[in-house]
Every structure is written in C-alpha cells, then in structure tokens.
Amino acid sequence: MTRRRVLLQTRIARHIAFAVVVSLVLSALVLVVFRHQAVRRVMERSARTFTSLISLPLTERFGFLGSGGKGLLDQYIVQLQELNDDVERLEIVDVRGNVFLRAEGNNVILFGDGIEPPIVTDRELLRAISGLEATAVQVTEADGSDAYRVVAPVVKQWGEHVYSVVGTFTYANVDRQLRSSLWLSALILAAGLGLTHWVSVTLAGGITRDVDVLRAGVMRIQEGRLEERVSIDSGDEIEELADAFNLMADELVATIRQLREANRELETLDQTKADLVANVSHELKTPLTALRGYLELMAEGGLGSISEESIRAVMVCRKNVERLSLRVEELVQLSRLDRFTSLDSAREEIDLKSILDGIIDTFRPRMEGGGVHFVLQVQPELRTLEVNPEQIERVFLNLLDNAVKFTPTGGTVLVLAEACDHEQRQGVLIRIQDSGVGIPPTELIRIFDRFYQVDPSSRRRFGGMGLGLSLVRSIVEAHRGAVWAESEEGTGSTFFVWLPFGDFGRDGVNHGGPSVRLEEADGDSKAVREA
Amino acid sequence: MARVFVVDDEPDMVDLLATILRSDGFEVDTDTDGRSALARLLADPPDLVLLDLMMPDLDGMELLKLLRLDSKGANVPVLVVSARSGHQDQLGTLQLGANAYICKPFSPRELVRQVRQLLETSEAETNA
C-alpha cells in the first residue's frame, strides 16, 4: 500500500520536474546561441562607428604632428582608445600599405623617422585600404583569437585619399560578459532544479493527499468501520471517486443489514422448526406410550386372559409401536443435531474401545441368533476422543445395525479401529465391514442423503426412513470428522468413520503414537462426506 | 403397601400408569392438574410421585421446584416421566431434585422396575 502511494507522488513529481528542466535548458541554449550573436553584432557596430568617427580627427592630428609634438599625439590617442573598451589596436596606413602609426594602449609607435615602416602585404587589407568606402571584416589574430578589423579611408576632399585608419577590436570583453551570464544562468538552472524538486514534490503531494484520504477511508471500511465515510472537496475526479466510494459503502451497509435481518428470520424459523419437532415428538410419544403400555399389559396377561389369536394380534401391534417409537426418536435426534446445541454442551473424553465394546454387546445376541460372525479389532493404547458419547454411540449403533441387517447367515461383520491421519490431522479411523449384498456405485454417493434408501423395496424389507445414515453423517461432521463408504455388489460394504483426536476445536496437535496413512480407494465406488 | 401418586395432564396416561401400578399391587392416587396435585401432595405426602413434565398451567418442573421447597415434600422420591429424551433435559430434571427419569415410550416392566428401585432406596435411607 505505502509503496504504491510513494510511486504515485514520485511519478507526478517526475513529470513536473521534467517539464521545468527542459524549459530551463532550452532557455539557456537560446541565451548562449542567439544572445552571443546579438552581443557581438552590437560590439561590431560600435567598432565601425568608432573607427569612422575618429578616422578624420586622428589623421588630422597625425598631420599636425610637427606643431604639437609626439607627446600630445600620444596623449590624444590614449584618450581616444579610452572611448571604446574593445579597441585593441589603431593604425594609420597610406594607400600603398605603409604603416605610419601603430597604437596599442599606451604604446604608440611612429614609423618613418628613422624606423622603417612595416608594409601591409595582406591583399584583402590592401584592397580595403585603397578603397573609398569603410569596410569591416572578422580576422584571426596572430595568437589565434578572433578579432574585428575596421578600415576607414580618410577622404578629405575629392581625390585626396592618402591615409586609412585601421582599427582592430577584440571580442574578449564580449565573450567575458557572455561567459559570466552563462555562469549566472547555470546557477539559476541549478537553483531552479532544487526549486523544481521541492515544488513538484509539494504539488504531487497535494494531488495525492486526496488519494491518501480516500485510501484511509477504504482501509477503515476494510477494518469493518462501515459507518465511516470519506469527505473530499477537491471538485475533481477524486471527489467523484470518493462519492462513488461512499455510495458503495452505503450499499454495503444496506446489504449487510438486509442479510442480518434475513439471517435473524432464518434463525427464528429454525428455532420454530426445532420447537415444532420437539412438540410433535412429544405429541407422538405420549400416545405411543399409552399404546405400548396397554399392549404389553395385554400380552403378558395383566388385564386378564385373552385368546391366542388376540395375543398374536397384540404382538403385531407391539412390534409396530416399537418401529414407530424408533422413527420418532430418530427424528428427534436429527432435529437436535441441526441445531448443534447438544454437541457443544455435552463433550466428554471417551475411550473408543469401551464404547465399541458396549454397542457390540447389545448386538451380540442378534448376530449370534442370525448366524453372523463378528470380529472387533481396536489398536491397543489408542488415545481418547473428546466427543458427545450419546451421539457417537448413535453413529456406531446405526452403522452396526445396517451391517447386521444386510449380512446374510454365515456372513461376517468386521470392526477395525486404528490411529490414522486424515488431511494432515491426527485421528482414528473406524471401519465397519459387512459381507452383505453391497451397494451399487451409482447409489453409493447418495446413501448419506436424508430420506434416501438404495432400493425402495428395502424400505419394506428392512424398515427405516433413510434417516440413519444421514444422522451418522450429521453427527460425524459436527465432530469435524469424515464418513464415507466403499462397496462391491455381492461382496459387501465397508463404512469408514474418521474422528479427530482430542478437542475437535483444535486440530493437528501431535501426541505421538503410531499412525498409518489413509488409503485412497478407487473413486468410483467411494463416497466421501467431510465436515 | 406403598402409595404412589401419579400426576399427568393426559387422562389416558394417568389411567395406564395407575393400571400398571395397581396390577403390581401398589396403592395409586392420581391427579391431572398440577396445582391441585401439589396441594394434595403437600397435605398428605405419598411414598413416591410419578410426575409428567409437560403440563398446562403448572408444569412438572415448576411443581417439582415448589415441592422441594416445602419441608413435607422435600424428601418424597420423584420419578419423572417425559417425552424429552435428551441428555440435557434429564440432567436438568435431576438437578431440580428428581430422583430418576424415564423416557416415553417406556415399557410397563421398565416402569415397575424403576418404581421399585426408587422405593427401596428411599426406604433404606429412611431406616438408616
């Protein structure tokens, strides 16, 4: 989250900084290229004007040399040079190229009086000297530096053109000025960069501040503070976004309220249903008790002797009352399980072996009577289970009842219990294997569904409403266990019940002890039900 | 002969319980209303009470509570007859002072067995 926010601000800042730097660099370039040219032009114009202006007075003074003496001339020339900062050298040359005077600063040299005058050999310069119009040209000095040379012919009257004044001007001053302004702009650029950084970060921060406010709002909703809203008054898309977000939060709150109400209604309905089942079972049980009681009294002769036929009829009635009672009890158990109340309040640590022993004892007479062999193997030193004993008893009661019911005479019912991991959780696996008719693979997946029976005719043969296995599943799932079945038609069925060790609220606590991996059976003939 | 008092709002149930107990040689008093039953129980405490839980007006739980509050009814053995078969229901009734619990639908033999057992325990306590 934080990383993203910084990125957004940096991105905006980078854009702003880029724009400012480009404009600064461009202006610096313009300064260097165009300004440089312009400043040189100004210097050159002033050089031409200066040379033209001084050409006549200078040559006149030079002509009056005899009357004033060299000292006065020198002084005059020095004063002239002070009028222009850029002048480097002034020369007076005749049309043939003989140099008569050369002044560089205070150094004024007069040629002719004993000193052989130097002669100009440069053709271009000679042409300029002999011409009648003032000319100017850029030249390269002996030391390699650029210079500007102005040639001003002195024409006193028509035809009288003896001398020309040659002024040589340096660009040094101009360049120095330019260099210093270049430095100045570099300084401004650097300062501008710093300023740009600060401004862009601040600007970007201003833009992202609203995004931050929005983000904080989203975080609050995420934390479950649904009543909070985001207030942004920026007038831009972010405000629109915040408004949309607030609307969404309103919708969310409304939906949650609706869901809660619906849930409350469902809870009430569920409670009503449970109460109904409880009341119905009471209403059913009381008449059943009366029926059972009188029938039993009659059968045992407690109400006086009755005929053989009557006794047989009474026995049939009794058997059917028993069946009705069992079904009513199943219904009550199922309705109670749906509410998960009895499970949480009645957990106890139990020893699996003693529970299995107890149940099997109740079945032993029935199995022996039906000629069914029975084998029970419980892994020694198996850990205790924390379960609702009443319900777990019901699980094995139902499964064993099925196994015995469907195993023909001479068949075998096998019960095995061993420690076994299931989905990385430690627990115990109990197999209840019969050698009965088996269950077709297509039916296997549905046998744990409520009110389902494999074969409609079995309902008549074996009784029951198909609640037994669904009750088993409900109980095992309430204990965070799993139940499934494998079967081969004609060979028999095996029901698997896996229950976690210890408290079924805390899983995966290792308490040692041997364990085996759960073997995966071929998926076709296997139905898995897990919590 | 031991005297058993049957309290149940269902006349058929009262009739059945009385028939079973009389055929086994007990003397039986009955009442189908909680309030009048409580008054009669306190006026002349029997040897044992057979009490139905779900009754209109004053139900079995309330009756049991009031019975145990009175010195005359404090030690009368009470066998609760109820349609509720849950672990919690049984526990609750026993905590309120019932001595035993029998679930509907029960067999006459089971009822008589429980009644005899309770009377024996109560007699042993009285003699001791």
Side-chain angles (χ1 to χ4, degrees):
Chain A
M1 261 318 204
T2 313
R3 199 175 66 91
R4 269 198 169 285
R5 184 178 62 83
V6 169
L7 265 181
L8 180 62
Q9 185 174 3
T10 313
R11 216 156 56 210
I12 296 171
R14 221 177 269 158
H15 281 110
I16 298 171
F18 181 72
V20 174
V21 167
V22 164
S23 58
L24 278 175
V25 168
L26 271 179
S27 59
L29 277 175
V30 166
L31 189 76
V32 170
V33 178
F34 293 96
R35 201 72 198 118
H36 184 225
Q37 296 301 319
V39 170
R40 279 194 169 201
R41 291 294 94 79
V42 169
M43 186 278 273
E44 284 163 4
R45 195 191 303 138
S46 79
R48 288 198 300 274
T49 313
F50 177 75
T51 314
S52 300
L53 279 175
I54 62 158
S55 58
L56 194 58
L58 181 62
T59 45
E60 272 177 358
R61 277 294 170 108
F62 176 62
F64 295 146
L65 183 65
S67 59
K70 189 179 177 290
L72 265 172
L73 183 65
D74 282 6
Q75 199 183 343
Y76 179 67
I77 288 173
V78 169
Q79 281 170 356
L80 271 184
Q81 286 184 100
E82 280 169 3
L83 291 175
N84 189 305
D85 290 336
D86 303 312
V87 65
E88 193 175 65
R89 193 163 61 238
L90 287 173
E91 287 158 315
I92 296 174
V93 191
D94 73 0
V95 286
R96 282 178 297 275
N98 297 310
V99 179
F100 290 98
L101 180 143
R102 177 174 288 163
E104 289 182 60
N106 292 330
N107 183 22
V108 181
I109 306 160
L110 281 171
F111 302 102
D113 269 356
I115 309 165
E116 189 60 31
I119 294 172
V120 173
T121 50
D122 187 84
R123 283 175 165 278
E124 205 180 326
L125 183 56
L126 275 173
R127 200 178 303 124
I129 291 165
S130 55
L132 294 177
E133 296 292 323
T135 58
V137 68
Q138 218 178 66
V139 293
T140 305
E141 290 278 86
D143 61 359
S145 62
D146 280 349
Y148 192 62
R149 194 176 60 202
V150 184
V151 179
V154 182
V155 184
K156 284 185 177 163
Q157 47 189 282
W158 196 88
E160 196 181 340
H161 171 218
V162 183
Y163 301 118
S164 283
V165 172
V166 178
T168 306
F169 299 83
T170 174
Y171 287 111
N173 286 333
V174 173
D175 286 351
R176 199 183 310 118
Q177 270 175 33
L178 202 76
R179 254 199 309 280
S180 68
S181 67
L182 206 63
W183 275 113
L184 191 66
S185 48
L187 210 69
I188 291 167
L189 191 70
L193 272 175
L195 196 70
T196 302
H197 175 76
W198 181 75
V199 166
S200 57
V201 167
T202 311
L203 272 176
I207 294 166
T208 53
R209 190 179 52 233
D210 289 336
V211 177
D212 275 350
V213 171
L214 190 61
R215 190 180 59 92
V218 176
M219 296 286 273
R220 283 199 297 273
I221 295 277
Q222 194 184 322
E223 285 162 9
R225 286 145 71 186
L226 297 177
E227 72 290 348
E228 304 236 5
R229 291 292 174 271
V230 184
S231 164
I232 292 175
D233 193 21
S234 61
D236 56 13
E237 291 93 327
I238 295 177
E239 188 181 331
E240 278 174 27
L241 189 63
D243 290 346
F245 174 76
N246 285 341
L247 269 176
M248 190 197 72
D250 289 343
E251 288 285 318
L252 197 65
V253 167
T255 310
I256 286 173
R257 196 178 300 129
Q258 281 171 7
L259 278 176
R260 278 206 188 117
E261 270 165 27
N263 204 29
R264 208 171 297 133
E265 273 171 34
L266 276 178
E267 273 170 16
T268 317
L269 263 176
D270 199 44
Q271 183 61 44
T272 313
K273 192 194 81 180
D275 290 348
L276 185 78
V277 172
N279 284 333
V280 164
S281 72
H282 176 256
E283 292 303 318
L284 290 173
K285 277 176 173 183
T286 304
L288 276 174
T289 312
L291 276 173
R292 184 180 176 176
Y294 279 119
L295 287 170
E296 211 161 313
L297 281 177
M298 280 164 78
E300 285 166 10
L303 301 174
S305 59
I306 50 172
S307 68
E308 278 291 315
E309 283 78 17
S310 300
I311 289 182
R312 208 177 307 126
V314 165
M315 293 309 269
V316 173
C317 290
R318 267 182 74 181
K319 204 172 79 192
N320 282 283
V321 166
E322 291 294 325
R323 269 173 66 178
L324 260 179
S325 305
L326 270 171
R327 300 302 150 240
V328 169
E329 191 53 38
E330 269 185 11
L331 266 180
V332 172
Q333 288 275 351
L334 207 62
S335 78
R336 196 178 291 150
L337 259 180
D338 284 348
R339 293 161 69 192
F340 290 102
T341 46
S342 54
L343 172 70
D344 291 333
S345 51
R347 292 188 299 194
E348 282 172 33
E349 275 208 7
I350 58 138
D351 174 30
L352 187 66
K353 187 159 181 1
S354 64
I355 276 207
L356 287 174
D357 278 340
I359 293 165
I360 280 147
D361 276 345
T362 64
F363 276 97
R364 214 175 282 280
R366 224 176 105 189
M367 287 190 275
E368 280 162 5
V372 174
H373 300 289
F374 179 74
V375 181
L376 169 67
Q377 276 179 16
V378 179
Q379 185 183 330
E381 290 163 23
L382 207 57
R383 283 183 48 209
T384 56
L385 295 168
E386 194 178 328
V387 294
N388 181 323
E390 206 184 325
Q391 291 180 350
I392 290 301
E393 266 179 42
R394 166 73 48 183
V395 166
F396 295 121
L397 216 61
N398 285 6
L399 289 177
L400 270 169
D401 185 51
N402 275 344
V404 173
K405 203 155 63 183
F406 291 106
T407 300
T409 307
T412 308
V413 172
L414 187 70
V415 179
L416 291 171
E418 62 190 352
C420 177
D421 287 355
H422 180 56
E423 292 183 341
Q424 280 99 53
R425 291 187 298 157
Q426 294 195 327
V428 61
L429 182 71
I430 303 111
R431 302 164 202 240
I432 293 142
Q433 192 177 335
D434 65 54
S435 58
V437 289
I439 306 161
T442 47
E443 312 278 1
L444 205 53
I445 196 87
R446 297 170 63 194
I447 52 170
F448 292 100
D449 292 346
R450 203 169 285 192
F451 303 115
Y452 185 77
Q453 279 193 329
V454 173
D455 174 8
S457 68
S458 74
R459 191 190 306 258
R460 287 190 294 278
R461 265 190 295 151
F462 301 107
M465 291 186 290
L467 282 176
L469 285 178
S470 102
L471 190 62
V472 164
R473 187 181 98 192
S474 301
I475 293 172
V476 172
E477 286 180 358
H479 284 81
R480 295 186 196 279
V483 59
W484 67 98
E486 289 169 14
S487 186
E488 203 174 308
E489 269 184 283
T491 311
S493 313
T494 308
F495 282 81
F496 296 84
V497 175
W498 182 87
L499 291 167
F501 277 139
D503 182 359
F504 39 81
R506 290 173 282 128
D507 297 327
V509 188
N510 196 335
H511 291 266
S515 65
V516 294
R517 285 295 313 162
L518 193 65
E519 285 168 33
E520 288 290 323
D522 58 299
D524 238 11
S525 57
K526 183 187 170 197
V528 183
R529 295 280 180 219
E530 281 161 32
Chain B
M1 191 74 266
R3 199 160 58 88
V4 179
F5 199 113
V6 177
V7 190
D8 199 318
D9 62 315
E10 201 76 43
D12 285 351
M13 277 300 293
V14 172
D15 198 48
L16 171 70
L17 292 169
T19 310
I20 295 170
L21 293 171
R22 282 195 187 112
S23 74
D24 251 80
F26 292 99
E27 195 183 317
V28 183
D29 280 333
T30 64
D31 206 311
T32 52
D33 177 74
R35 283 194 192 283
S36 71
L38 181 64
R40 288 172 61 193
L41 282 171
L42 293 177
D44 182 14
D47 296 311
L48 186 133
V49 180
L50 265 186
L51 180 63
D52 180 37
L53 278 188
M54 284 175 159
M55 288 192 294
D57 196 10
L58 184 72
D59 76 6
M61 291 272 196
E62 283 297 308
L63 196 152
L64 184 60
K65 230 186 286 177
L66 294 170
L67 184 72
R68 290 303 187 219
L69 282 175
D70 197 290
S71 59
K72 284 182 187 164
N75 296 316
V76 181
V78 173
L79 175 58
V80 165
V81 180
S82 175
R84 294 196 192 129
S85 55
H87 211 65
Q88 293 301 300
D89 296 316
Q90 296 186 19
L91 228 86
T93 331
L94 297 179
Q95 273 163 2
L96 271 178
N99 300 72
Y101 191 102
I102 187 163
C103 286
K104 289 179 190 176
F106 48 82
S107 78
R109 212 177 300 157
E110 173 68 10
L111 177 77
V112 171
R113 194 186 62 77
Q114 288 243 34
V115 167
R116 283 191 192 287
Q117 198 183 336
L118 263 186
L119 284 171
E120 274 168 31
T121 322
S122 140
E123 250 172 65
E125 274 172 14
T126 322
N127 296 341

